[in-house]
Amino acid sequence: MLAYIEQKLKAWTLEVQEYARLIGASFRGIATQPRYGHDIVEQFDAIGFQSLTVVLLTGFFTGAVLALQSGLTLDEFGARPVVGRLVSASMIKELGPVLTALMLTGRIGSGIAAELGSMVVTDQISALRALGTDPVRKLVVPRVLAGVFMAPVLTVIADAVGVSGGWAVARYRLQVETGQYWSSVLQGLYMQDLWMGIIKPFFLGFVIVTIACHVGLRTSGGTQGVGRATTISVVAGSVGVIFADYLLTQVLISLLYP
């Protein structure tokens, strides 16, 4: 049993070390030449535009169900008109960034791990190295840039759609006047809340993409290994998002809410 535990600890330590090396190589690739502009644009499209549908649906129905559930609770205190304040604060500070990141983990993280894992098991990564191309610059850096910059854009869209979904439920299910709802939304938001909702996605996008790239590049075992890498990427990415969200919330609260 002790030998098994020791073996697992060594394996986890190695993974952390390799992950840290990948992050360092990614930063060097971002800061120095050459850069692959076509690949960067392609990844912006794949991670950003092609994820728009799932983000819109997730944001809308999250805001709608949040308004529906909170409206029933607020009725007990005669506070139904302030449902907009609860929806906007919850979506922008927490649910918007986290749910968008989790959707990207399922859609983008799994795809990156499968794509890079397939390239590893078919020796395409080795072929890139043989041709003098750095796989990190060619494959990882474009995905990291796209994840870091598109996650905030998708989060803002999810927030806007979520608040609109809350309005639809508040107006037609809870019978809250439109002006009253949007007035409540504005009254419940502060600049600190907006900053928290904007800052978080940059870090969450970085966590999602780097974990997926790391898992994909560490794939072994043929096609079965690709399947395992996809599963590991989604699980590790989801846990990483939640853990990073907790740390970011602690830090941002101490910085933004003195």
Short mmCIF file of all heavy atoms in Angstrom, two decimals, residues 105-177:
data_model
loop_
_atom_site.label_atom_id
_atom_site.label_comp_id
_atom_site.label_asym_id
_atom_site.label_seq_id
_atom_site.Cartn_x
_atom_site.Cartn_y
_atom_site.Cartn_z
N THR A 105 -15.08 23.99 -20.89
CA THR A 105 -14.32 22.79 -20.52
C THR A 105 -14.87 21.57 -21.24
O THR A 105 -14.11 20.74 -21.76
CB THR A 105 -14.35 22.57 -19.00
OG1 THR A 105 -13.82 23.72 -18.34
CG2 THR A 105 -13.53 21.35 -18.61
N GLY A 106 -16.19 21.43 -21.24
CA GLY A 106 -16.80 20.28 -21.89
C GLY A 106 -16.66 20.31 -23.40
O GLY A 106 -16.41 19.27 -24.02
N ARG A 107 -16.77 21.49 -23.98
CA ARG A 107 -16.73 21.56 -25.43
C ARG A 107 -15.32 21.74 -25.98
O ARG A 107 -14.89 21.01 -26.87
CB ARG A 107 -17.60 22.73 -25.93
CG ARG A 107 -17.72 22.77 -27.44
CD ARG A 107 -18.34 24.04 -27.96
NE ARG A 107 -18.36 24.01 -29.42
CZ ARG A 107 -17.30 24.28 -30.18
NH1 ARG A 107 -16.16 24.61 -29.63
NH2 ARG A 107 -17.40 24.22 -31.50
N ILE A 108 -14.59 22.69 -25.43
CA ILE A 108 -13.27 23.03 -25.95
C ILE A 108 -12.18 22.15 -25.33
O ILE A 108 -11.29 21.65 -26.03
CB ILE A 108 -12.95 24.51 -25.71
CG1 ILE A 108 -13.97 25.39 -26.43
CG2 ILE A 108 -11.55 24.83 -26.18
CD1 ILE A 108 -14.04 25.16 -27.91
N GLY A 109 -12.24 21.97 -24.00
CA GLY A 109 -11.20 21.19 -23.34
C GLY A 109 -11.10 19.78 -23.86
O GLY A 109 -10.01 19.26 -24.15
N SER A 110 -12.25 19.14 -24.03
CA SER A 110 -12.25 17.77 -24.54
C SER A 110 -11.74 17.73 -25.97
O SER A 110 -11.00 16.82 -26.36
CB SER A 110 -13.65 17.18 -24.45
OG SER A 110 -14.57 17.94 -25.22
N GLY A 111 -12.13 18.70 -26.77
CA GLY A 111 -11.70 18.73 -28.17
C GLY A 111 -10.20 18.94 -28.31
O GLY A 111 -9.54 18.29 -29.13
N ILE A 112 -9.65 19.85 -27.49
CA ILE A 112 -8.21 20.09 -27.54
C ILE A 112 -7.45 18.84 -27.13
O ILE A 112 -6.47 18.44 -27.77
CB ILE A 112 -7.84 21.29 -26.64
CG1 ILE A 112 -8.38 22.59 -27.24
CG2 ILE A 112 -6.33 21.37 -26.44
CD1 ILE A 112 -8.19 23.80 -26.35
N ALA A 113 -7.88 18.21 -26.04
CA ALA A 113 -7.19 17.01 -25.56
C ALA A 113 -7.25 15.90 -26.61
O ALA A 113 -6.25 15.21 -26.86
CB ALA A 113 -7.80 16.53 -24.25
N ALA A 114 -8.41 15.72 -27.23
CA ALA A 114 -8.54 14.67 -28.25
C ALA A 114 -7.69 14.97 -29.47
O ALA A 114 -7.03 14.08 -30.02
CB ALA A 114 -10.01 14.51 -28.64
N GLU A 115 -7.69 16.23 -29.90
CA GLU A 115 -6.93 16.60 -31.10
C GLU A 115 -5.43 16.44 -30.87
O GLU A 115 -4.72 15.82 -31.68
CB GLU A 115 -7.25 18.04 -31.48
CG GLU A 115 -6.57 18.51 -32.75
CD GLU A 115 -6.93 19.94 -33.12
OE1 GLU A 115 -7.70 20.57 -32.35
OE2 GLU A 115 -6.44 20.43 -34.14
N LEU A 116 -4.93 17.00 -29.77
CA LEU A 116 -3.49 16.90 -29.50
C LEU A 116 -3.10 15.47 -29.17
O LEU A 116 -2.01 15.01 -29.55
CB LEU A 116 -3.11 17.84 -28.35
CG LEU A 116 -3.30 19.34 -28.60
CD1 LEU A 116 -2.76 20.15 -27.43
CD2 LEU A 116 -2.65 19.78 -29.90
N GLY A 117 -3.97 14.75 -28.46
CA GLY A 117 -3.68 13.35 -28.15
C GLY A 117 -3.58 12.50 -29.40
O GLY A 117 -2.69 11.64 -29.51
N SER A 118 -4.46 12.75 -30.36
CA SER A 118 -4.38 12.02 -31.64
C SER A 118 -3.09 12.34 -32.38
O SER A 118 -2.48 11.47 -33.00
CB SER A 118 -5.58 12.38 -32.51
OG SER A 118 -6.80 12.01 -31.88
N MET A 119 -2.66 13.60 -32.30
CA MET A 119 -1.41 13.97 -32.96
C MET A 119 -0.21 13.30 -32.28
O MET A 119 0.76 12.95 -32.94
CB MET A 119 -1.25 15.49 -32.94
CG MET A 119 -2.29 16.24 -33.74
SD MET A 119 -2.06 18.04 -33.71
CE MET A 119 -0.58 18.19 -34.72
N VAL A 120 -0.29 13.12 -30.96
CA VAL A 120 0.81 12.46 -30.25
C VAL A 120 0.90 10.99 -30.63
O VAL A 120 1.98 10.48 -30.97
CB VAL A 120 0.63 12.61 -28.72
CG1 VAL A 120 1.62 11.72 -27.98
CG2 VAL A 120 0.82 14.06 -28.30
N VAL A 121 -0.24 10.28 -30.59
CA VAL A 121 -0.20 8.83 -30.82
C VAL A 121 0.07 8.50 -32.29
O VAL A 121 0.48 7.37 -32.61
CB VAL A 121 -1.50 8.16 -30.36
CG1 VAL A 121 -1.72 8.38 -28.87
CG2 VAL A 121 -2.71 8.65 -31.15
N THR A 122 -0.15 9.44 -33.20
CA THR A 122 0.16 9.20 -34.62
C THR A 122 1.50 9.83 -35.01
O THR A 122 1.79 9.95 -36.21
CB THR A 122 -0.95 9.76 -35.51
OG1 THR A 122 -1.15 11.16 -35.24
CG2 THR A 122 -2.26 9.01 -35.28
N ASP A 123 2.27 10.25 -34.02
CA ASP A 123 3.63 10.78 -34.23
C ASP A 123 3.67 12.09 -35.01
O ASP A 123 4.72 12.44 -35.56
CB ASP A 123 4.52 9.74 -34.93
CG ASP A 123 4.79 8.53 -34.05
OD1 ASP A 123 4.88 8.72 -32.82
OD2 ASP A 123 4.91 7.42 -34.59
N GLN A 124 2.56 12.81 -35.07
CA GLN A 124 2.59 14.10 -35.75
C GLN A 124 3.38 15.13 -34.95
O GLN A 124 4.02 16.02 -35.53
CB GLN A 124 1.16 14.60 -35.98
CG GLN A 124 0.36 13.74 -36.94
CD GLN A 124 -1.03 14.29 -37.17
OE1 GLN A 124 -1.22 15.45 -37.51
NE2 GLN A 124 -2.03 13.45 -36.97
N ILE A 125 3.35 15.02 -33.61
CA ILE A 125 4.14 15.94 -32.78
C ILE A 125 5.63 15.70 -33.03
O ILE A 125 6.42 16.65 -33.16
CB ILE A 125 3.80 15.74 -31.30
CG1 ILE A 125 2.30 16.00 -31.04
CG2 ILE A 125 4.65 16.65 -30.43
CD1 ILE A 125 1.87 17.41 -31.30
N SER A 126 6.01 14.44 -33.11
CA SER A 126 7.42 14.12 -33.40
C SER A 126 7.82 14.64 -34.77
O SER A 126 8.95 15.11 -34.97
CB SER A 126 7.63 12.61 -33.33
OG SER A 126 7.32 12.10 -32.04
N ALA A 127 6.89 14.58 -35.73
CA ALA A 127 7.19 15.09 -37.07
C ALA A 127 7.39 16.60 -37.04
O ALA A 127 8.28 17.12 -37.74
CB ALA A 127 6.05 14.73 -38.02
N LEU A 128 6.61 17.32 -36.25
CA LEU A 128 6.81 18.76 -36.13
C LEU A 128 8.19 19.07 -35.57
O LEU A 128 8.89 19.97 -36.06
CB LEU A 128 5.72 19.36 -35.21
CG LEU A 128 4.32 19.50 -35.79
CD1 LEU A 128 3.35 20.01 -34.73
CD2 LEU A 128 4.32 20.45 -36.98
N ARG A 129 8.58 18.34 -34.54
CA ARG A 129 9.92 18.56 -33.97
C ARG A 129 11.02 18.24 -34.99
O ARG A 129 12.02 18.95 -35.07
CB ARG A 129 10.09 17.71 -32.71
CG ARG A 129 9.23 18.13 -31.53
CD ARG A 129 9.69 17.48 -30.24
NE ARG A 129 8.91 17.94 -29.11
CZ ARG A 129 7.89 17.28 -28.57
NH1 ARG A 129 7.53 16.11 -29.08
NH2 ARG A 129 7.24 17.78 -27.53
N ALA A 130 10.81 17.18 -35.77
CA ALA A 130 11.80 16.81 -36.77
C ALA A 130 11.95 17.89 -37.84
O ALA A 130 13.03 18.08 -38.40
CB ALA A 130 11.41 15.48 -37.42
N LEU A 131 10.87 18.61 -38.11
CA LEU A 131 10.90 19.69 -39.10
C LEU A 131 11.37 21.01 -38.50
O LEU A 131 11.40 22.04 -39.20
CB LEU A 131 9.51 19.87 -39.72
CG LEU A 131 9.01 18.71 -40.58
CD1 LEU A 131 7.55 18.92 -40.96
CD2 LEU A 131 9.87 18.55 -41.83
N GLY A 132 11.72 21.01 -37.22
CA GLY A 132 12.23 22.22 -36.58
C GLY A 132 11.15 23.15 -36.08
O GLY A 132 11.43 24.32 -35.80
N THR A 133 9.92 22.66 -35.94
CA THR A 133 8.81 23.47 -35.44
C THR A 133 8.55 23.14 -33.98
O THR A 133 8.42 21.96 -33.62
CB THR A 133 7.53 23.21 -36.26
OG1 THR A 133 7.78 23.53 -37.63
CG2 THR A 133 6.38 24.08 -35.76
N ASP A 134 8.45 24.16 -33.16
CA ASP A 134 8.16 23.96 -31.74
C ASP A 134 6.67 23.68 -31.58
O ASP A 134 5.84 24.54 -31.89
CB ASP A 134 8.53 25.22 -30.96
CG ASP A 134 8.33 25.05 -29.46
OD1 ASP A 134 7.89 23.96 -29.04
OD2 ASP A 134 8.61 26.00 -28.71
N PRO A 135 6.29 22.50 -31.08
CA PRO A 135 4.85 22.18 -30.94
C PRO A 135 4.12 23.13 -30.00
O PRO A 135 2.93 23.39 -30.19
CB PRO A 135 4.86 20.75 -30.38
CG PRO A 135 6.18 20.19 -30.76
CD PRO A 135 7.14 21.35 -30.74
N VAL A 136 4.82 23.64 -29.00
CA VAL A 136 4.16 24.56 -28.06
C VAL A 136 3.78 25.86 -28.77
O VAL A 136 2.67 26.37 -28.63
CB VAL A 136 5.06 24.84 -26.85
CG1 VAL A 136 4.44 25.91 -25.95
CG2 VAL A 136 5.30 23.56 -26.05
N ARG A 137 4.71 26.41 -29.57
CA ARG A 137 4.40 27.64 -30.31
C ARG A 137 3.31 27.41 -31.35
O ARG A 137 2.45 28.25 -31.55
CB ARG A 137 5.66 28.16 -31.01
CG ARG A 137 6.74 28.67 -30.09
CD ARG A 137 7.93 29.16 -30.90
NE ARG A 137 9.03 29.56 -30.05
CZ ARG A 137 9.17 30.78 -29.54
NH1 ARG A 137 8.25 31.70 -29.81
NH2 ARG A 137 10.20 31.09 -28.78
N LYS A 138 3.36 26.26 -32.01
CA LYS A 138 2.45 25.98 -33.11
C LYS A 138 1.06 25.58 -32.62
O LYS A 138 0.04 25.99 -33.22
CB LYS A 138 3.05 24.87 -33.97
CG LYS A 138 2.17 24.39 -35.12
CD LYS A 138 2.06 25.40 -36.22
CE LYS A 138 1.31 24.83 -37.42
NZ LYS A 138 1.07 25.84 -38.47
N LEU A 139 0.99 24.80 -31.55
CA LEU A 139 -0.27 24.20 -31.14
C LEU A 139 -0.84 24.77 -29.84
O LEU A 139 -2.05 24.94 -29.72
CB LEU A 139 -0.09 22.69 -30.98
CG LEU A 139 0.38 21.93 -32.22
CD1 LEU A 139 0.65 20.48 -31.88
CD2 LEU A 139 -0.65 22.04 -33.34
N VAL A 140 0.03 25.06 -28.89
CA VAL A 140 -0.44 25.47 -27.57
C VAL A 140 -0.70 26.96 -27.50
O VAL A 140 -1.76 27.40 -27.03
CB VAL A 140 0.56 25.03 -26.48
CG1 VAL A 140 0.10 25.53 -25.11
CG2 VAL A 140 0.71 23.52 -26.46
N VAL A 141 0.26 27.76 -27.96
CA VAL A 141 0.14 29.22 -27.83
C VAL A 141 -1.13 29.77 -28.49
O VAL A 141 -1.84 30.58 -27.88
CB VAL A 141 1.40 29.92 -28.38
CG1 VAL A 141 1.18 31.44 -28.50
CG2 VAL A 141 2.59 29.64 -27.48
N PRO A 142 -1.48 29.39 -29.73
CA PRO A 142 -2.73 29.90 -30.30
C PRO A 142 -3.96 29.55 -29.48
O PRO A 142 -4.88 30.37 -29.34
CB PRO A 142 -2.78 29.22 -31.68
CG PRO A 142 -1.37 28.93 -32.02
CD PRO A 142 -0.72 28.57 -30.71
N ARG A 143 -3.98 28.36 -28.91
CA ARG A 143 -5.13 27.95 -28.09
C ARG A 143 -5.17 28.71 -26.77
O ARG A 143 -6.25 29.07 -26.28
CB ARG A 143 -5.07 26.43 -27.86
CG ARG A 143 -5.38 25.63 -29.11
CD ARG A 143 -5.01 24.16 -28.96
NE ARG A 143 -5.50 23.36 -30.09
CZ ARG A 143 -4.91 23.31 -31.27
NH1 ARG A 143 -3.79 23.98 -31.48
NH2 ARG A 143 -5.41 22.57 -32.24
N VAL A 144 -4.01 28.95 -26.19
CA VAL A 144 -3.97 29.71 -24.94
C VAL A 144 -4.45 31.14 -25.17
O VAL A 144 -5.27 31.67 -24.40
CB VAL A 144 -2.53 29.71 -24.35
CG1 VAL A 144 -2.42 30.71 -23.21
CG2 VAL A 144 -2.16 28.32 -23.87
N LEU A 145 -3.97 31.78 -26.23
CA LEU A 145 -4.41 33.15 -26.52
C LEU A 145 -5.92 33.20 -26.76
O LEU A 145 -6.61 34.10 -26.27
CB LEU A 145 -3.66 33.69 -27.73
CG LEU A 145 -2.17 33.98 -27.54
CD1 LEU A 145 -1.52 34.36 -28.86
CD2 LEU A 145 -1.97 35.09 -26.51
N ALA A 146 -6.43 32.23 -27.53
CA ALA A 146 -7.86 32.22 -27.82
C ALA A 146 -8.67 31.98 -26.54
O ALA A 146 -9.69 32.64 -26.31
CB ALA A 146 -8.17 31.13 -28.85
N GLY A 147 -8.21 31.06 -25.70
CA GLY A 147 -8.93 30.80 -24.46
C GLY A 147 -8.94 31.99 -23.53
O GLY A 147 -9.98 32.34 -22.93
N VAL A 148 -7.81 32.66 -23.40
CA VAL A 148 -7.70 33.79 -22.47
C VAL A 148 -8.56 34.96 -22.93
O VAL A 148 -9.21 35.62 -22.10
CB VAL A 148 -6.22 34.22 -22.33
CG1 VAL A 148 -6.11 35.56 -21.62
CG2 VAL A 148 -5.44 33.15 -21.57
N PHE A 149 -8.59 35.24 -24.22
CA PHE A 149 -9.29 36.43 -24.70
C PHE A 149 -10.75 36.18 -25.09
O PHE A 149 -11.56 37.12 -25.08
CB PHE A 149 -8.53 37.05 -25.87
CG PHE A 149 -7.25 37.70 -25.47
CD1 PHE A 149 -6.02 37.12 -25.77
CD2 PHE A 149 -7.25 38.89 -24.76
CE1 PHE A 149 -4.84 37.70 -25.39
CE2 PHE A 149 -6.06 39.49 -24.37
CZ PHE A 149 -4.85 38.89 -24.68
N MET A 150 -11.09 34.95 -25.43
CA MET A 150 -12.47 34.69 -25.82
C MET A 150 -13.36 34.32 -24.63
O MET A 150 -14.56 34.55 -24.66
CB MET A 150 -12.53 33.57 -26.86
CG MET A 150 -11.95 33.96 -28.21
SD MET A 150 -12.60 35.52 -28.87
CE MET A 150 -14.35 35.18 -28.98
N ALA A 151 -12.79 33.75 -23.58
CA ALA A 151 -13.59 33.41 -22.40
C ALA A 151 -14.28 34.65 -21.80
O ALA A 151 -15.48 34.58 -21.48
CB ALA A 151 -12.74 32.70 -21.35
N PRO A 152 -13.59 35.80 -21.64
CA PRO A 152 -14.30 36.98 -21.14
C PRO A 152 -15.41 37.46 -22.08
O PRO A 152 -16.48 37.90 -21.61
CB PRO A 152 -13.19 38.04 -21.03
CG PRO A 152 -11.94 37.26 -20.90
CD PRO A 152 -12.14 36.04 -21.75
N VAL A 153 -15.18 37.40 -23.39
CA VAL A 153 -16.21 37.83 -24.34
C VAL A 153 -17.45 36.94 -24.21
O VAL A 153 -18.59 37.44 -24.13
CB VAL A 153 -15.67 37.78 -25.78
CG1 VAL A 153 -16.77 38.09 -26.78
CG2 VAL A 153 -14.51 38.76 -25.95
N LEU A 154 -17.24 35.63 -24.17
CA LEU A 154 -18.35 34.71 -24.02
C LEU A 154 -19.05 34.89 -22.68
O LEU A 154 -20.27 34.74 -22.58
CB LEU A 154 -17.86 33.27 -24.18
CG LEU A 154 -17.35 32.89 -25.57
CD1 LEU A 154 -16.70 31.51 -25.54
CD2 LEU A 154 -18.47 32.93 -26.59
N THR A 155 -18.28 35.20 -21.64
CA THR A 155 -18.89 35.41 -20.32
C THR A 155 -19.78 36.64 -20.31
O THR A 155 -20.88 36.62 -19.74
CB THR A 155 -17.78 35.55 -19.26
OG1 THR A 155 -17.01 34.35 -19.22
CG2 THR A 155 -18.39 35.80 -17.88
N VAL A 156 -19.33 37.73 -20.92
CA VAL A 156 -20.15 38.94 -21.00
C VAL A 156 -21.45 38.65 -21.75
O VAL A 156 -22.54 39.09 -21.34
CB VAL A 156 -19.37 40.08 -21.67
CG1 VAL A 156 -20.29 41.26 -21.97
CG2 VAL A 156 -18.21 40.53 -20.79
N ILE A 157 -21.35 37.90 -22.84
CA ILE A 157 -22.56 37.53 -23.59
C ILE A 157 -23.48 36.67 -22.73
O ILE A 157 -24.71 36.89 -22.70
CB ILE A 157 -22.16 36.78 -24.87
CG1 ILE A 157 -21.41 37.72 -25.82
CG2 ILE A 157 -23.40 36.20 -25.57
CD1 ILE A 157 -20.83 37.04 -27.04
N ALA A 158 -22.92 35.70 -22.01
CA ALA A 158 -23.73 34.84 -21.14
C ALA A 158 -24.40 35.66 -20.04
O ALA A 158 -25.57 35.42 -19.70
CB ALA A 158 -22.86 33.74 -20.53
N ASP A 159 -23.68 36.64 -19.48
CA ASP A 159 -24.27 37.50 -18.45
C ASP A 159 -25.47 38.28 -19.00
O ASP A 159 -26.54 38.34 -18.38
CB ASP A 159 -23.23 38.48 -17.92
CG ASP A 159 -22.13 37.79 -17.13
OD1 ASP A 159 -22.37 36.66 -16.66
OD2 ASP A 159 -21.05 38.39 -16.96
N ALA A 160 -25.27 38.89 -20.18
CA ALA A 160 -26.34 39.69 -20.77
C ALA A 160 -27.56 38.83 -21.09
O ALA A 160 -28.70 39.22 -20.81
CB ALA A 160 -25.82 40.39 -22.03
N VAL A 161 -27.32 37.66 -21.68
CA VAL A 161 -28.43 36.78 -22.02
C VAL A 161 -29.10 36.24 -20.77
O VAL A 161 -30.32 36.08 -20.71
CB VAL A 161 -27.92 35.63 -22.92
CG1 VAL A 161 -29.02 34.62 -23.18
CG2 VAL A 161 -27.42 36.19 -24.25
N GLY A 162 -28.29 35.95 -19.73
CA GLY A 162 -28.86 35.45 -18.48
C GLY A 162 -29.76 36.46 -17.80
O GLY A 162 -30.86 36.12 -17.32
N VAL A 163 -29.33 37.71 -17.76
CA VAL A 163 -30.17 38.76 -17.17
C VAL A 163 -31.44 38.95 -18.00
O VAL A 163 -32.53 39.18 -17.46
CB VAL A 163 -29.37 40.07 -17.05
CG1 VAL A 163 -30.28 41.21 -16.57
CG2 VAL A 163 -28.20 39.90 -16.09
N SER A 164 -31.31 38.82 -19.33
CA SER A 164 -32.49 38.91 -20.19
C SER A 164 -33.44 37.74 -19.96
O SER A 164 -34.67 37.90 -19.98
CB SER A 164 -32.07 38.96 -21.65
OG SER A 164 -31.25 40.09 -21.91
N GLY A 165 -32.88 36.54 -19.75
CA GLY A 165 -33.72 35.39 -19.42
C GLY A 165 -34.44 35.59 -18.11
O GLY A 165 -35.62 35.21 -17.96
N GLY A 166 -33.75 36.19 -17.13
CA GLY A 166 -34.42 36.51 -15.87
C GLY A 166 -35.54 37.51 -16.06
O GLY A 166 -36.60 37.39 -15.43
N TRP A 167 -35.32 38.48 -16.97
CA TRP A 167 -36.40 39.44 -17.25
C TRP A 167 -37.61 38.74 -17.86
O TRP A 167 -38.76 39.05 -17.49
CB TRP A 167 -35.89 40.51 -18.22
CG TRP A 167 -37.03 41.29 -18.85
CD1 TRP A 167 -37.74 42.32 -18.28
CD2 TRP A 167 -37.62 41.05 -20.13
NE1 TRP A 167 -38.73 42.74 -19.14
CE2 TRP A 167 -38.68 41.98 -20.28
CE3 TRP A 167 -37.35 40.16 -21.15
CZ2 TRP A 167 -39.46 42.03 -21.43
CZ3 TRP A 167 -38.13 40.22 -22.29
CH2 TRP A 167 -39.16 41.14 -22.43
N ALA A 168 -37.39 37.82 -18.80
CA ALA A 168 -38.51 37.13 -19.44
C ALA A 168 -39.38 36.41 -18.40
O ALA A 168 -40.62 36.47 -18.45
CB ALA A 168 -37.99 36.14 -20.48
N VAL A 169 -38.73 35.72 -17.46
CA VAL A 169 -39.49 35.01 -16.42
C VAL A 169 -40.14 36.00 -15.47
O VAL A 169 -41.31 35.83 -15.08
CB VAL A 169 -38.56 34.05 -15.66
CG1 VAL A 169 -39.26 33.47 -14.43
CG2 VAL A 169 -38.10 32.93 -16.57
N ALA A 170 -39.39 37.04 -15.07
CA ALA A 170 -39.94 38.02 -14.14
C ALA A 170 -41.15 38.75 -14.74
O ALA A 170 -42.14 39.01 -14.04
CB ALA A 170 -38.87 39.03 -13.75
N ARG A 171 -41.08 39.03 -16.03
CA ARG A 171 -42.18 39.79 -16.66
C ARG A 171 -43.40 38.93 -16.92
O ARG A 171 -44.53 39.33 -16.63
CB ARG A 171 -41.67 40.40 -17.99
CG ARG A 171 -42.74 41.18 -18.76
CD ARG A 171 -43.18 42.39 -17.99
NE ARG A 171 -44.29 43.08 -18.63
CZ ARG A 171 -45.57 42.79 -18.40
NH1 ARG A 171 -45.90 41.82 -17.56
NH2 ARG A 171 -46.51 43.48 -19.01
N TYR A 172 -43.22 37.76 -17.48
CA TYR A 172 -44.36 36.97 -17.93
C TYR A 172 -44.76 35.85 -16.98
O TYR A 172 -45.86 35.31 -17.10
CB TYR A 172 -44.05 36.37 -19.31
CG TYR A 172 -43.81 37.44 -20.35
CD1 TYR A 172 -42.53 37.73 -20.80
CD2 TYR A 172 -44.87 38.18 -20.86
CE1 TYR A 172 -42.30 38.72 -21.75
CE2 TYR A 172 -44.65 39.19 -21.80
CZ TYR A 172 -43.38 39.45 -22.24
OH TYR A 172 -43.17 40.44 -23.17
N ARG A 173 -43.91 35.50 -16.03
CA ARG A 173 -44.27 34.46 -15.04
C ARG A 173 -44.52 35.05 -13.67
O ARG A 173 -45.48 34.68 -12.99
CB ARG A 173 -43.14 33.43 -14.96
CG ARG A 173 -43.36 32.34 -13.92
CD ARG A 173 -44.54 31.43 -14.29
NE ARG A 173 -44.66 30.33 -13.35
CZ ARG A 173 -45.22 30.41 -12.14
NH1 ARG A 173 -45.72 31.58 -11.74
NH2 ARG A 173 -45.30 29.36 -11.36
N LEU A 174 -43.68 36.01 -13.27
CA LEU A 174 -43.81 36.61 -11.94
C LEU A 174 -44.59 37.92 -11.96
O LEU A 174 -44.83 38.50 -10.91
CB LEU A 174 -42.43 36.84 -11.33
CG LEU A 174 -41.52 35.61 -11.21
CD1 LEU A 174 -40.16 36.00 -10.65
CD2 LEU A 174 -42.18 34.55 -10.32
N GLN A 175 -44.91 38.42 -13.15
CA GLN A 175 -45.69 39.65 -13.33
C GLN A 175 -44.99 40.87 -12.72
O GLN A 175 -45.62 41.72 -12.10
CB GLN A 175 -47.08 39.49 -12.71
CG GLN A 175 -47.88 38.31 -13.25
CD GLN A 175 -48.06 38.38 -14.77
OE1 GLN A 175 -48.38 39.44 -15.30
NE2 GLN A 175 -47.86 37.27 -15.44
N VAL A 176 -43.68 40.94 -12.89
CA VAL A 176 -42.92 42.11 -12.45
C VAL A 176 -42.78 43.05 -13.65
O VAL A 176 -42.44 42.63 -14.75
CB VAL A 176 -41.51 41.71 -11.94
CG1 VAL A 176 -40.69 42.94 -11.60
CG2 VAL A 176 -41.64 40.79 -10.74
N GLU A 177 -43.07 44.33 -13.44
CA GLU A 177 -43.01 45.29 -14.53
C GLU A 177 -41.58 45.41 -15.08
O GLU A 177 -40.60 45.31 -14.34
CB GLU A 177 -43.49 46.66 -14.06
CG GLU A 177 -44.97 46.72 -13.75
CD GLU A 177 -45.82 46.49 -14.99
OE1 GLU A 177 -45.36 46.86 -16.10
OE2 GLU A 177 -46.92 45.94 -14.87
#
